Amino acid sequence: MHISQSGFEDSLTDNVILAPFTTLGIGGPARFFAEAKSAEDLAEGVSWARARGIPLFVLGGGSNIVVSDDGFPGLVLRVSLRGVTTRVEDDIVFVTASAGEDWDSLVAFCVNNNWAGVECLSGIPGLVGATPVQNVGAYGQDVSESFVSLEALDLTDDNAVTIGAGECRFGYRTSRFKTADRERFIITRVTYRLIANGRPALRYPELRRYLTDQGTGNLDNLALKDVREAVLAIRKRKAMVIDAADPDSRSVGSFFVNPVVTVDEFDRIKTRALRISQDIPAFPVDRGMIKLSAAWLIEQSGIKRGQSFGGVGVSTRHSLAIINRGSGTAREVVALAEEMKSRVRDAFGVELIPEPVFVGFSA
Ligand SMILES: Cc1cc2nc3c(=O)[nH]c(=O)nc-3n(C[C@H](O)[C@H](O)[C@H](O)COP(=O)(O)OP(=O)(O)OC[C@H]3O[C@@H](n4cnc5c(N)ncnc54)[C@H](O)[C@@H]3O)c2cc1C
């Protein structure tokens, strides 16, 4: 009698090197690796790992992770659930995408249909399922603005749950899924709310400047696709889109989030900064807080773009991007990140917080 295997079991392999599954191109082997193409595959993978008492890591596009050279001592479950559905209510379009859909393809789909709300998030690598995790954002827009709800498997009781925007605790590059409830949920679908024929978001000064310099005329008349193209062009200049031919894009994007400080803290930091430079970039954000530029702090602390540190280095076009120069190791990535942190701490008294998730490092 033939016993048919599940999708999970079919794809299960062992000792899979993780480096090719990451944009940094670094990382040792997963003890076990499987692809989940359905919610059933996910549930099965979870029980399989649990029955063996091994840890589980949920992998998306691998664009925001640093995997240890020793790899991961458990099951890496790659989320490959596909499918997009849409529902139109007057001027509002609800787009529901499965977690394994490519994020930038979804953005292109929305922009091509003239649905506003995610156009500035063009060119961000990775999959849909990860977008709520760090409330993906760029060029003045973030996912929380269009996010309606997500569906997930709750690993505390193995129930399928729906979580609305108000329950996600979204913040600047963060949410409950990256903090208190990290590793609790496997996100299976996300619903976004777009505006049919809506105006593009043109809040970010660098984006407005770029469009003006391009001679695009009245910014009020721009189409969503013009803004998408501008964002992609700006990102490409900074190696912030994945391009196999561009070694500066072998990264996790920005390695640190921009520090957000109180006015008192800012005054103290400014006093120290004035010894080095007259103009410390600072941007007022919510509740009287001030956002600093992590890239500026790193450069002013003496680390320069293009500088090499063994097999890794700093991107020639963005001081916030740590790149794999070809033979880099996770140990070197961590050492360079520590060097950046300690220099910025010594120079300005600011503690930089890494943006990527570290996988397979002992706590
Ligand atoms: C060149 C470059 C530019 C970038 N630019 C930006 C940018 O402008 N703005 C920005 O915000 N980020 C940026 N990033 C970071 C990254 O692209 C995003 O964080 C992206 O959302 C990560 O998606 P991923 O699918 O690759 O997630 P992964 O790297 O695979 O995973 C990241 C984390 O999310 C978890 N996760 C993934 N999928 C799921 C799921 N389905 N359920 C539960 N947990 C899950 C993982 O377990 C892990 O903890 C950039 C990265 C690169 C390489």
Side-chain angles (χ1 to χ4, degrees):
M1 189 176 69
H2 173 74
I3 300 172
S4 77
Q5 289 200 314
S6 69
F8 164 73
E9 280 175 12
D10 274 349
S11 72
L12 184 64
T13 39
D14 61 357
N15 237 352
V16 174
I17 298 293
L18 291 170
F21 294 96
T22 71
T23 53
L24 198 50
I26 286 177
R31 187 164 159 210
F32 299 101
F33 185 96
E35 197 96 22
K37 293 194 169 136
S38 65
E40 292 72 35
D41 289 352
L42 281 178
E44 217 173 309
V46 169
S47 335
W48 190 90
R50 209 178 269 152
R52 281 155 189 81
I54 55 171
L56 174 75
F57 178 73
V58 175
L59 176 68
S63 64
N64 209 21
I65 55 173
V66 179
V67 179
S68 140
D69 298 317
D70 297 330
F72 183 71
L75 171 66
V76 170
L77 202 48
R78 192 172 190 222
V79 177
S80 301
L81 286 75
R82 304 299 301 271
V84 177
T85 57
T86 58
R87 183 166 59 84
V88 181
E89 278 180 26
D90 302 322
D91 289 345
I92 306 297
V93 184
F94 294 93
V95 176
T96 299
S98 293
E101 288 291 334
D102 176 64
W103 169 250
D104 190 49
S105 305
L106 187 74
V107 173
F109 170 70
C110 295
V111 167
N112 290 339
N113 280 292
N114 221 13
W115 300 336
V118 289
E119 59 284 351
C120 296
L121 307 179
S122 294
I124 299 179
L127 307 182
V128 161
T131 57
V133 174
Q134 74 156 2
N135 183 19
V136 156
Y139 299 96
Q141 198 170 50
D142 67 35
V143 146
S144 73
E145 295 171 46
S146 55
F147 178 94
V148 177
S149 62
L150 60 78
E151 290 162 47
L153 180 66
D154 184 344
L155 300 186
T156 54
D157 55 12
D158 291 349
N159 278 330
V161 291
T162 300
I163 300 176
E167 302 164 274
C168 292
R169 282 176 247 139
F170 285 127
Y172 164 63
R173 293 301 174 277
T174 190
S175 75
R176 65 188 284 197
F177 312 109
K178 196 169 179 177
T179 52
D181 287 327
R182 190 178 154 183
E183 297 183 359
R184 173 173 165 185
F185 298 100
I186 305 183
I187 297 164
T188 51
R189 293 210 291 183
V190 184
T191 298
Y192 308 89
R193 181 181 181 277
L194 288 313
I195 315 290
N197 304 315
R199 309 272 335 122
L202 289 174
R203 307 171 193 137
Y204 203 73
E206 185 186 1
L207 178 58
R208 296 180 69 88
R209 219 169 21 243
Y210 177 88
L211 287 160
T212 308
D213 291 349
Q214 295 297 304
T216 37
N218 187 348
L219 296 191
D220 291 337
N221 296 333
L222 287 181
L224 295 174
K225 72 170 179 27
D226 299 326
V227 173
R228 171 171 166 80
E229 274 161 25
V231 168
L232 289 174
I234 299 172
R235 294 185 70 97
K236 199 161 174 52
R237 279 202 312 212
K238 299 182 186 172
M240 281 289 133
V241 282
I242 298 294
D243 177 353
D246 184 350
D248 275 333
S249 75
R250 216 179 293 136
S251 74
V252 291
S254 299
F255 205 93
F256 297 101
V257 295
N258 287 322
V260 178
V261 298
T262 62
V263 172
D264 286 349
E265 284 166 332
F266 178 63
D267 286 342
R268 182 179 50 75
I269 294 160
K270 199 165 145 192
T271 310
R272 290 174 80 157
L274 285 175
R275 284 184 235 145
I276 301 171
S277 168
Q278 283 307 305
D279 61 329
I280 169 168
F283 313 92
V285 286
D286 299 345
R287 293 180 295 256
M289 303 292 278
I290 292 168
K291 191 192 278 182
L292 306 175
S293 159
W296 186 90
L297 294 169
I298 288 170
E299 289 197 20
Q300 297 301 322
S301 76
I303 292 182
K304 298 293 173 226
R305 295 180 197 184
Q307 211 171 324
S308 301
F309 295 80
V312 302
V314 183
S315 160
T316 60
R317 281 169 292 152
H318 195 358
S319 51
L320 256 188
I322 293 180
I323 58 159
N324 173 8
R325 298 177 59 241
S327 60
T329 63
R331 214 162 284 119
E332 288 175 309
V333 170
V334 170
L336 176 50
E338 283 304 321
E339 177 70 19
M340 289 173 161
K341 281 178 77 167
S342 82
R343 287 206 192 196
V344 168
R345 190 185 301 125
D346 291 350
F348 302 103
V350 175
E351 198 58 38
L352 289 180
I353 299 174
E355 191 183 295
V357 173
F358 292 83
V359 183
F361 292 84
S362 40

